[in-house]
């Protein structure tokens, strides 16, 4: 998982982005191959020949680096969603955030020469219709977005809804792939993206440095905290239960729910964990979200809300998708918002106690 506290993406071991939402966790995904292996969109960058994979996050960040090793060489793929603090944010303010809603992939040759395969297929309206791709001066355009900006444009062929091609990547050679919801006014340079990478890396390293935990398994604790931070929706302070929809509780079963919303139970537990680690900014933002949400549904208390305090999460099924490992149906929305679950009152009270304890 990579993210920018607005949307998120999932990257496979093979170097394919098979899920991605830009701007909002609950937006229609620009890629959704995890929900349909044939129809769902993707952005892949992987060796054309047999390879072995090693993956890691850059230390104390949510920047993912994948290293591919083949018989002829090695390459590195760096994936991130740019993120930084708003101008004027206070010294300890890591919840007032700016994000340009982009997915950036940087690929670099490390040793020898590797034949790199590129594939790009967006999935408009949850792949309900095929994308109509056209080549631009510096990338691939889709009428309703997204847009692929890349310096590999000359190596890609466009046929209907798929742009694909190959390039030989030698040691020291670098290319980029960047997905954005809107076209860019000018060509992007590697220097521009290196600057975004540096800003994003600094943000995550600084946020991680606030962790006050000093005990066993510190590295997994910090890594878990980074994941929880990625699940926060910066504009409102909401915390989503998951960045995806319809991943099954059991393969082939029907219990496939949309969890891209804020469950008060999950959020209370998440904030309890972050508070214990020393993070109070997320607590303040969530309290603002909670007040707005409770007012919106008063006198009732919902078990969950949309990430902008929406009280109606109407559910419908996408019957044209086969589901993750043939687990149908694929759902958007969550009808559970109408349920009464009395424990949620206790969790909100528990959260109030935590918030008061934090001062």
């Amino acid at each position: 998982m990579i993210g920018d506290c607005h949307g998120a993406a999932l990257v496979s071991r093979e170097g394919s982005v098979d899920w991605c939402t830009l701007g909002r966790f609950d937006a229609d995904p620009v890629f959704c191959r995890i929900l349909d292996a044939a129809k769902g969109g993707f952005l892949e960058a992987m060796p054309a020949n047999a390879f072995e994979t090693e993956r890691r996050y850059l230390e104390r960040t949510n920047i993912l680096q994948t290293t591919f090793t083949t018989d002829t060489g090695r390459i590195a793929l760096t994936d991130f969603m740019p993120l930084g603090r708003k101008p004027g944010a206070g010294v300890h303010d890591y919840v007032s955030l700016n994000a340009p809603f982009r997915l950036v992939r940087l690929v670099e040759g490390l040793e020898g020469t590797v034949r790199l395969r590129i594939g790009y297929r967006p999935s408009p309206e949850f792949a309900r219709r095929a994308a109509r791709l056209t080549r631009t001066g510096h990338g691939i355009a889709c009428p309703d977005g997204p847009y692929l900006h890349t310096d590999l444009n000359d190596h890609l062929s466009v046929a209907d809804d798929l742009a694909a091609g190959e390039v030989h990547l030698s040691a020291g050679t670098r290319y980029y792939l960047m997905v954005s919801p809107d076209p860019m006014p000018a060509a992007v340079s590697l220097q521009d993206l290196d600057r975004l990478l540096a800003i994003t890396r600094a943000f995550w390293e600084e946020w991680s440095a606030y962790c006050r935990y000093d005990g066993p398994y510190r590295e997994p604790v910090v890594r878990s905290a980074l994941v929880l931070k990625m699940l926060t929706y910066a504009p409102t302070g909401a915390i989503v239960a998951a960045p995806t929809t319809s991943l099954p509780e059991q393969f082939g079963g029907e219990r496939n729910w949309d969890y891209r919303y804020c469950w008060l139970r999950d959020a209370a537990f998440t904030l309890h964990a972050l508070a214990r680690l020393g993070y109070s900014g997320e607590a303040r933002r969530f309290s603002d979200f909670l007040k707005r949400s409770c007012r919106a549904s008063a006198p009732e208390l919902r078990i969950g809300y949309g990430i902008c305090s929406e009280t109606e999460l109407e559910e419908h099924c996408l019957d044209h998708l086969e589901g993750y490992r043939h687990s149908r149906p694929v759902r958007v929305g969550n009808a559970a918002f109408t349920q009464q679950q009395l424990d949620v009152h206790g969790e909100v009270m528990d959260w109030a106690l935590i918030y008061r304890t934090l001062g």
Side-chain angles (χ1 to χ4, degrees):
M1 179 183 172
I2 57 175
D4 59 5
C5 298
H6 293 77
L10 298 182
V11 185
S12 78
R13 292 182 180 275
E14 289 73 34
S16 178
V17 179
D18 292 337
W19 174 268
C20 179
T21 55
L22 300 176
R24 287 181 62 119
F25 291 107
D26 58 357
D28 283 1
V30 295
F31 308 123
C32 65
R33 186 153 66 173
I34 62 170
L35 298 179
D36 194 301
K39 297 178 185 176
F42 59 88
L43 175 60
E44 60 183 19
M46 65 183 69
N49 301 324
F51 59 86
E52 295 182 352
T53 303
E54 295 180 8
R55 302 201 295 174
R56 71 183 183 99
Y57 287 103
L58 300 186
E59 187 176 3
R60 296 183 293 118
T61 77
N62 283 315
I63 299 167
L64 180 65
Q65 189 169 81
T66 304
T67 302
F68 299 105
T69 302
T70 73
D71 291 339
T72 60
R74 285 197 312 131
I75 60 175
L77 177 63
T78 301
D79 289 315
F80 69 102
M81 297 177 78
L83 176 66
R85 302 197 301 150
K86 284 185 177 180
V91 175
H92 304 295
D93 182 356
Y94 284 81
V95 295
S96 300
L97 308 181
N98 264 346
F101 310 149
R102 298 173 192 166
L103 166 70
V104 179
R105 317 198 76 188
L106 303 174
V107 60
E108 179 179 7
L110 301 178
E111 296 177 8
T113 302
V114 174
R115 189 157 54 97
L116 182 71
R117 186 175 74 212
I118 305 295
Y120 169 67
R121 176 192 289 151
S123 48
E125 297 179 12
F126 273 94
R128 183 175 278 111
R129 58 183 176 83
R132 292 181 288 114
L133 301 183
T134 57
R135 188 190 304 277
T136 68
H138 47 271
I140 307 296
C142 181
D144 301 320
Y147 294 82
L148 175 66
H149 308 270
T150 178
D151 52 0
L152 287 166
N153 207 19
D154 293 340
H155 298 275
L156 299 178
S157 299
V158 177
D160 299 324
D161 65 343
L162 177 66
E166 293 185 355
V167 62
H168 285 85
L169 198 63
S170 56
T173 306
R174 300 176 68 209
Y175 293 104
Y176 73 84
L177 300 153
M178 185 183 76
V179 179
S180 70
D182 303 306
M184 301 293 290
V188 181
S189 69
L190 277 168
Q191 291 72 26
D192 295 331
L193 299 180
D194 285 340
R195 179 174 173 272
L196 285 178
L197 177 61
I199 292 170
T200 304
R201 184 168 189 170
F203 171 83
W204 289 120
E205 288 177 342
E206 291 171 14
W207 186 85
S208 299
Y210 277 83
C211 181
R212 295 297 179 259
Y213 178 74
D214 184 17
Y217 308 106
R218 190 178 191 279
E219 184 176 342
V221 168
V222 174
R223 171 55 47 204
S224 297
L226 282 161
V227 174
L228 295 179
K229 176 63 171 175
M230 271 198 291
L231 294 175
T232 63
Y233 182 61
T236 66
I239 302 174
V240 296
T244 52
T245 180
S246 303
L247 298 189
E249 295 184 12
Q250 181 179 1
F251 294 146
E254 298 180 355
R255 299 175 64 82
N256 321 314
W257 313 118
D258 190 349
Y259 283 124
R260 299 174 297 158
Y261 310 110
C262 184
W263 265 251
L264 299 190
R265 177 191 302 118
D266 299 55
F269 295 157
T270 297
L271 288 163
H272 192 284
L274 291 176
R276 289 287 297 274
L277 298 179
Y279 295 102
S280 58
E282 291 75 17
R284 288 193 298 272
R285 291 306 302 276
F286 179 78
S287 290
D288 294 338
F289 167 81
L290 185 60
K291 284 185 283 188
R292 287 193 302 269
S293 300
C294 290
R295 290 192 188 107
S297 63
E300 297 179 352
L301 182 64
R302 302 285 198 199
I303 64 170
Y305 296 87
I307 57 178
C308 289
S309 298
E310 296 91 344
T311 59
E312 306 291 320
L313 306 177
E314 296 294 342
E315 180 180 306
H316 62 277
C317 296
L318 304 179
D319 295 330
H320 66 286
L321 295 176
E322 69 176 10
Y324 184 83
R325 296 193 182 184
H326 305 283
S327 303
R328 283 177 165 162
V330 172
R331 306 174 197 267
V332 174
N334 197 308
F337 79 90
T338 61
Q339 295 178 5
Q340 276 195 327
Q341 298 179 13
L342 296 182
D343 65 300
V344 72
H345 295 271
E347 276 122 20
V348 171
M349 294 297 289
D350 189 39
W351 164 240
L353 176 61
I354 298 168
Y355 190 64
R356 180 182 176 186
T357 303
L358 290 171

